[in-house]
């Protein structure tokens, strides 16, 4: 079972694909979820609760219940500081913002919302939480980010960030999820809310300049003098996302040559080219979704894009077009640990189990400890907070890392900083990040990789998540001896929710998606494409057997 590429992939979105925004917004309030159905319950995946109002999986009831649960959690955890709340440009984000504020105001929560109704990137919320909590031990702040990330236009999303500034850990999200579902089963009778107009003008609702606070601090992360001095000409496509109005102030404040390709905001995202599966998805790591910027690559020394909440990056180079996320992460790590002298000597390299093994080789050459964790940025939070991690990155183009002085920047993914860093790399080296990648693989070996995505029911996903090393009977993979089969991450021994099988020159990992009804197989070979295909074929057999309930 493998996913096929849609004939629409990479082409401009036809009118038939555009969401009916009026219907979507009506469904948000009119369609009530059935809390007895798993598909309509509150379910926190790797990045909060997500769904569509059409499917009764992201509706007013969900947001009211989650917001009430967060207020109760804050009280139980004695979190009494301000709550910073941001939202992206998805159509469902604004009504969800209004629903959440109605509940927060009813509970007297000091809520910080963006000045002038501005959209707010995920990293700007994390940055604000950490800024407020710096040197505080009581009265700590936390936050809510209303976004389904790069998901299709009919989706909504809701994420809670505790006082550490990063995505909430599973113990918190399980508590909020369970309480929210109980509130829905009770018909929301225990939910306290006030009308939005009253909530918006409540004494506890305050405007906060996320944009100026975040943009004004970027000099602690990026060497703008090097970029400006080298005359690097950059292009950025915000993909109609939450950082759309951040880029011009960045260019102006730091006097860099940065062109914003488009500042269009459209809840239908009709300007996008269609992703691999025939859906509109604002994924800056997808060549199908990034056709607009790829077509402009020759105009810039380096160009970049971010997803809808600006916590992921995509790098487009003149020499190589769109970089694969694993390639750029490897370049980032190699560059940063060689050009950030104030980072601690023991600061480790953080990666997920499905990120490229080239990172392992880069870390070894740098003499840095590798910290390998399951998928989910929450696993990097404590390390970034205390400086024991210099870098934390995911194969899906999400990363954050320390300030130039070695202190914490954000503990959630930041797409803006890695994007700008591509210009710093270009400025400091004779060549862009793609050319730097070629130098890297000449020294350390060049991997070829692929990822298979295919539909899976919730039951099949659960079965795959329980797949254990004992179910893998084979002793070889693609003609090589299997060296390890793991279902817990080496860095922190946390369950992976799937398995990873490794040989000397290749590996695959299989896991269900935490946010969509699909499963994913990641595979990589340091030999060649034929070896990679053999790994994928054998991996597919193992996964198919698991989905049928057989031993593999």
């Amino acid at each position: 079972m493998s996913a096929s590429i849609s004939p629409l992939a990479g082409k401009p979105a036809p009118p038939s694909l555009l969401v009916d925004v009026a219907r979507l917004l009506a469904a948000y309030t009119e369609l009530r979820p059935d809390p007895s159905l798993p598909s309509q319950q509150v379910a926190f995946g790797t990045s909060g609760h997500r769904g569509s109002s059409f499917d009764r999986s992201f509706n007013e009831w969900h947001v009211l219940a989650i917001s009430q649960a967060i207020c109760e959690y804050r009280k139980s955890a004695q979190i009494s500081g301000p709550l910073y709340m941001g939202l992206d440009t998805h159509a469902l984000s604004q009504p969800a913002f209004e629903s959440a504020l109605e509940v927060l105001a009813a509970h007297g929560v000091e809520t910080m919302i963006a000045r002038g109704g501005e959209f707010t990137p995920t990293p700007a919320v994390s940055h604000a939480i950490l800024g407020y909590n710096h040197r505080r031990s009581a009265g700590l702040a936390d936050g809510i980010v209303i976004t389904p990330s790069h998901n299709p236009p009919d989706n909504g999303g809701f994420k809670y960030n505790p006082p550490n500034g990063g995505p909430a850990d599973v113990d918190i999200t399980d508590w909020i999820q369970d309480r929210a579902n109980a509130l829905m089963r009770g018909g929301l009778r225990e939910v306290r809310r006030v009308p939005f107009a009253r909530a918006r003008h409540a004494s506890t609702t305050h405007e906060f300049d996320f944009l100026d606070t975040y943009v004004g601090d970027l000099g602690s992360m990026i060497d703008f003098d090097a970029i400006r001095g080298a005359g690097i000409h950059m292009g950025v496509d915000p993909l109609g996302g939450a950082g759309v109005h951040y880029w011009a102030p960045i260019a102006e404040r730091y006097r860099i040559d940065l062109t914003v390709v488009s500042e269009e905001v459209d809840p239908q995202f009709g300007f996008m080219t269609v992703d691999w599966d025939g859906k509109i998805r604002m994924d800056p790591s997808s060549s199908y979704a990034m056709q607009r910027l790829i077509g402009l690559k020759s105009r810039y020394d380096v160009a970049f894009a971010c997803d809808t909440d600006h916590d992921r990056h995509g790098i487009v180079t003149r020499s190589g077009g769109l970089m694969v996320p694993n390639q750029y992460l490897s370049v980032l790590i190699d560059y940063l640990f060689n050009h950030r002298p104030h980072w601690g000597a023991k600061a480790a390299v953080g990666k997920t189990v499905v990120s490229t093994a080239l990172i392992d080789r880069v870390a070894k050459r740098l003499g840095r400890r590798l910290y390998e964790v399951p998928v989910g940025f929450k696993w990097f939070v404590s390390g970034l907070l205390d400086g024991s991690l210099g870098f934390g990155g995911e194969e899906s183009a999400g990363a954050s890392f320390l300030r130039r002085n070695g202190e914490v920047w954000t503990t959630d993914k930041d797409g803006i900083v890695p994007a700008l860093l591509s210009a710093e790399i270009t400025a400091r080296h004779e060549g862009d990040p793609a050319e730097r990648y070629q130098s890297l693989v000449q020294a350390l070996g060049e991997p070829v990789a692929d990822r298979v995505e295919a539909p899976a029911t919730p039951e099949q996903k659960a079965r795959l998540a329980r797949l254990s090393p004992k179910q893998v009977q084979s002793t070889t993979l693609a003609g090589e001896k299997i060296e390890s089969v793991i279902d817990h991450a080496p860095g922190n021994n946390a369950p992976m929710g799937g398995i990873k099988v490794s040989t000397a020159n290749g590996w695959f990992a299989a896991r269900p998606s935490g946010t969509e009804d699909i499963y994913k197989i990641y595979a990589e070979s340091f030999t060649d494409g034929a070896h990679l295909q053999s790994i994928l074929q054998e991996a597919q057999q193992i996964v198919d057997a698991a989905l049928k309930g057989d031993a593999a």
Side-chain angles (χ1 to χ4, degrees):
M1 180 171 57
S2 60
S4 58
I5 304 299
S6 166
L8 293 174
K11 297 176 182 176
S16 60
L17 270 188
L18 302 184
V19 66
D20 184 331
V21 173
R23 273 189 62 231
L24 185 74
L25 296 178
Y28 175 78
T29 53
E30 293 171 5
L31 298 184
R32 290 188 175 180
D34 181 345
S36 69
L37 298 176
S39 63
Q40 295 181 28
Q41 293 172 357
V42 172
F44 276 78
T46 49
S47 297
H49 174 73
R50 296 180 183 177
S52 173
S53 60
F54 291 144
D55 302 331
R56 301 176 195 251
S57 54
F58 189 90
N59 300 82
E60 183 180 41
W61 270 44
H62 296 104
V63 176
L64 292 172
I66 296 169
S67 301
Q68 173 73 25
I70 287 172
C71 289
E72 294 178 12
Y73 171 77
R74 294 181 98 243
K75 188 173 182 180
S76 69
Q78 298 182 308
I79 300 168
S80 57
L83 182 144
Y84 291 85
M85 185 160 63
L87 74 159
D88 77 0
T89 55
H90 277 81
L92 288 173
S93 294
Q94 182 62 36
F97 167 83
E98 294 177 8
S99 299
L101 192 62
E102 290 173 1
V103 176
L104 293 168
H107 284 265
V109 175
E110 299 285 339
T111 306
M112 314 298 282
I113 63 175
R115 180 171 293 174
E118 183 58 71
F119 305 113
T120 308
T122 287
V125 174
S126 179
H127 179 270
I129 294 168
L130 294 175
Y132 182 87
N133 290 341
H134 186 57
R135 295 202 173 98
R136 276 187 167 90
S137 57
L140 299 178
D142 55 359
I144 288 171
V145 189
I146 301 171
T147 174
S149 190
H150 61 295
N151 278 23
D154 68 350
N155 275 221
F158 204 89
K159 188 171 74 167
Y160 176 64
N161 287 34
N164 62 23
D169 207 345
V170 67
D171 57 335
I172 299 175
T173 56
D174 279 355
W175 192 96
I176 293 171
Q177 169 183 296
D178 293 347
R179 179 58 180 150
N181 285 322
L183 288 164
M184 288 205 301
R185 287 194 298 272
L188 301 186
R189 283 186 294 274
E190 295 180 75
V191 172
R192 288 161 50 191
R193 65 191 289 203
V194 297
F196 178 69
R198 187 171 145 200
R200 180 62 185 81
H201 296 100
S203 61
T204 52
T205 301
H206 313 280
E207 289 200 343
F208 178 77
D209 198 337
F210 285 98
L211 191 157
D212 190 66
T213 304
Y214 177 90
V215 170
D217 207 13
L218 278 172
S220 69
M221 293 297 288
I222 306 293
D223 187 348
F224 286 107
D225 290 340
I227 296 171
R228 193 168 49 249
I232 302 298
H233 181 37
M234 295 157 278
V236 60
D237 190 344
L239 300 180
V244 64
H245 299 137
Y246 278 55
W247 294 103
I250 289 171
E252 183 179 359
R253 183 184 290 260
Y254 297 105
R255 305 190 313 281
I256 56 175
D257 184 5
L258 174 63
T259 299
V260 183
V261 169
S262 171
E263 288 196 339
E264 181 180 3
V265 174
D266 169 18
Q268 293 182 308
F269 293 90
F271 51 80
M272 291 295 298
T273 48
V274 179
D275 205 2
W276 66 273
D277 57 355
K279 295 182 179 180
I280 297 174
R281 192 180 282 110
M282 290 61 70
D283 182 357
S285 66
S286 166
S287 61
Y288 300 107
M290 285 277 282
Q291 284 298 302
R292 177 165 69 180
L293 194 58
I294 293 170
L296 300 173
K297 67 176 185 172
S298 62
R299 298 188 187 182
Y300 308 107
D301 296 316
V302 66
F304 32 82
C306 291
D307 68 336
T308 323
D309 67 323
H310 271 50
D311 72 343
R312 300 183 189 211
H313 59 271
I315 309 301
V316 175
T317 66
R318 185 177 287 175
S319 68
L322 178 67
M323 293 188 72
V324 173
N326 272 321
Q327 295 178 353
Y328 185 58
L329 291 180
S330 302
V331 169
L332 262 183
I333 292 164
D334 186 59
Y335 175 81
L336 286 167
F337 281 91
N338 280 304
H339 291 85
R340 295 297 185 262
H342 297 295
W343 287 9
K346 294 185 178 180
V349 176
K351 61 164 268 192
T352 55
V353 291
V354 294
S355 298
T356 177
L358 181 60
I359 292 174
D360 306 39
R361 299 184 181 195
V362 170
K364 185 176 181 180
R365 186 171 76 166
L366 290 166
R368 296 281 177 167
R369 179 173 65 90
L370 186 71
Y371 182 67
E372 189 172 358
V373 298
V375 172
F377 206 79
K378 62 188 177 185
W379 303 111
F380 299 129
V381 172
S382 60
L384 290 168
L385 203 55
D386 65 17
S388 61
L389 276 182
F391 178 99
E394 296 186 314
E395 79 299 331
S396 54
S400 192
F401 34 91
L402 300 177
R403 295 171 189 258
R404 293 159 74 185
N405 67 2
E407 295 179 357
V408 64
W409 167 250
T410 60
T411 47
D412 210 332
K413 297 191 289 282
D414 188 327
I416 296 172
V417 168
L420 290 167
L421 199 67
S422 69
E424 181 185 326
I425 292 170
T426 306
R428 284 190 172 273
H429 294 273
E430 293 182 3
D432 59 35
E435 290 166 324
R436 186 167 173 83
Y437 176 74
Q438 290 305 318
S439 299
L440 205 58
V441 297
Q442 283 173 16
L444 299 175
E446 183 169 11
V448 285
D450 200 0
R451 184 176 85 183
V452 172
E453 297 181 356
T457 65
E459 293 77 18
Q460 289 175 323
K461 288 170 60 178
R463 201 174 293 143
L464 178 56
R466 292 192 300 268
L467 187 61
S468 73
K470 292 179 181 178
Q471 288 174 266
V472 180
Q473 302 294 323
S474 178
T475 57
T476 62
L477 176 66
E480 286 192 313
K481 179 185 175 184
I482 291 176
E483 295 187 344
S484 68
V485 183
I486 59 172
D487 59 359
H488 285 67
N492 58 0
N493 201 36
M496 288 167 43
I499 60 162
K500 183 176 182 178
V501 179
S502 301
T503 67
N505 294 293
W507 60 268
F508 82 83
R511 58 177 293 272
S513 170
T515 55
E516 298 179 86
D517 284 334
I518 58 174
Y519 74 81
K520 302 177 183 182
I521 297 177
Y522 305 79
E524 185 173 61
S525 167
F526 277 83
T527 303
D528 56 28
H531 184 237
L532 174 66
Q533 290 308 310
S534 294
I535 292 174
L536 278 169
Q537 286 170 11
E538 293 182 29
Q540 194 94 55
Q541 292 168 6
I542 291 171
V543 171
D544 284 348
L547 295 183
K548 292 173 185 172
D550 304 329

